[in-house]
Amino acid sequence: MVEQLSPSVRSIPSTPLVEKSVSVYAPASVGNIGPGFDTLGMAVTGMGDTLTGFLEKREGADRITSISGAWTSLPTDPSQNTATIAARYLLDKAGYPDLKLTVSIQKGVPGSGLGSSAASAVGGAMLAQLLLGSPFGDSDLLDAAAQSESSVSGGYFLDNVSASLFGGISVSNSRLREAFRFGGFSGLFLVFLIPRALLKTSESRKAIPPDVPLDRAIGALANSAGLLTAVHLGNPDLFCRMLQDPLIQPYRKKLIPFFDDLEKVSREAGARSFIISGAGSTMMALTDNPQDARTIQETLEKYVQYKQIPVLVRSSTIDSEGARHVATPHL
Ligand SMILES: Nc1ncnc2c1ncn2[C@@H]1O[C@H](COP(=O)(O)OP(=O)(O)O)[C@@H](O)[C@H]1O
Ligand SMILES: N[C@@H](CCOP(=O)(O)O)C(=O)O
């Protein structure tokens, strides 16, 4: 089931494309997938970043010409933006410090906890890869995106970047700096509740104590193994039953206003599981029944409107493709 990645730097010489625009799309992702803290990740449909850029030989730094569609303000300084940090890492590694990137970023990730910074990091890495004529292997792209993501998120973890890069469900080991695409999976219907308030991953990581109870750690380990078994067997019902996080969620949910309320309403409307997406504040309700997913979405939309809770409701499924080359949009 686990798919091997291509090794580091390929031996084929590559030729950079100069002054030619290329576009890439990198999907949003759910870090942790509940119990798999820092180790499991899932790419999702309908949300992601599109990056368009070109290389030229010039003095100075890389440039971000525009960031559109962002729901919160993002850095346009290339040394602070995950897209350009990842791209620069690969451009330097390939031996082209004199080639400078000019990029525009169309954000399509409308909240915290959906791997937004990771989607841009993966997009930046893939853009550099394509503009350089694909000299790198998957592990280099993963490394570039992870280095970039770690500069903003308060830790080195690969769950979001591996899912966004490879698509489907990924398994990662940040200590060994390795990640794998575990597989694609159909038959799951996701409903996201996306608060309109920023919760930085670095802040949400501080809510977790350094020591955690052994029984809860064992529970999370068992559920993580159960999730992968469900993917291996292609069993959405088992996946729904295993999607519970007794380890990290109890600490983090205190940072998320209306969490208990929204969980109760989602479950009453038919959700089979309810977890924090990534580090929050986005939450995810899950079902294996498409009709139930529609009911959950409609019920939640009415509920948040009635209670005036500033939360966006979005339906989605698993994106099995991961980061990809796309046609350049008309800017
Ligand atoms: N291209 C980018 N997209 C999103 N966030 C970015 C980007 N570049 C830098 N950042 C920074 O990353 C931080 C958000 O990342 P993080 O806390 O990991 O949350 P998220 O779950 O949204 O990825 C913010 O400080 C933001 O300014
Ligand atoms: N494993 C990380 C995942 C962070 O995801 P994000 O989408 O919130 O950046 C964590 O749980 O801290």
Side-chain angles (χ1 to χ4, degrees), residues 31-116:
N32 308 325
I33 326 187
F37 184 61
D38 280 358
T39 56
L40 301 183
M42 176 167 87
V44 300
T45 57
M47 295 182 276
D49 290 355
T50 305
L51 277 66
T52 301
F54 63 90
L55 293 176
E56 61 189 332
K57 205 164 180 168
R58 63 168 162 80
E59 295 297 309
D62 298 313
R63 280 188 201 130
I64 299 175
T65 49
S66 68
I67 302 180
S68 58
W71 70 285
T72 182
S73 114
L74 293 176
T76 50
D77 174 349
S79 69
Q80 304 296 316
N81 194 298
T82 55
T84 30
I85 297 170
R88 176 47 48 201
Y89 181 88
L90 288 182
L91 288 163
D92 287 348
K93 186 168 180 169
Y96 294 106
D98 52 337
L99 283 183
K100 303 293 158 51
L101 178 69
T102 298
V103 63
S104 65
I105 305 171
Q106 248 178 280
K107 292 295 300 179
V109 186
S112 299
L114 286 162
S116 177

Side-chain angles (χ1 to χ4, degrees), residues 4 121 179 220 265:
Q4 282 300 320
V265 174

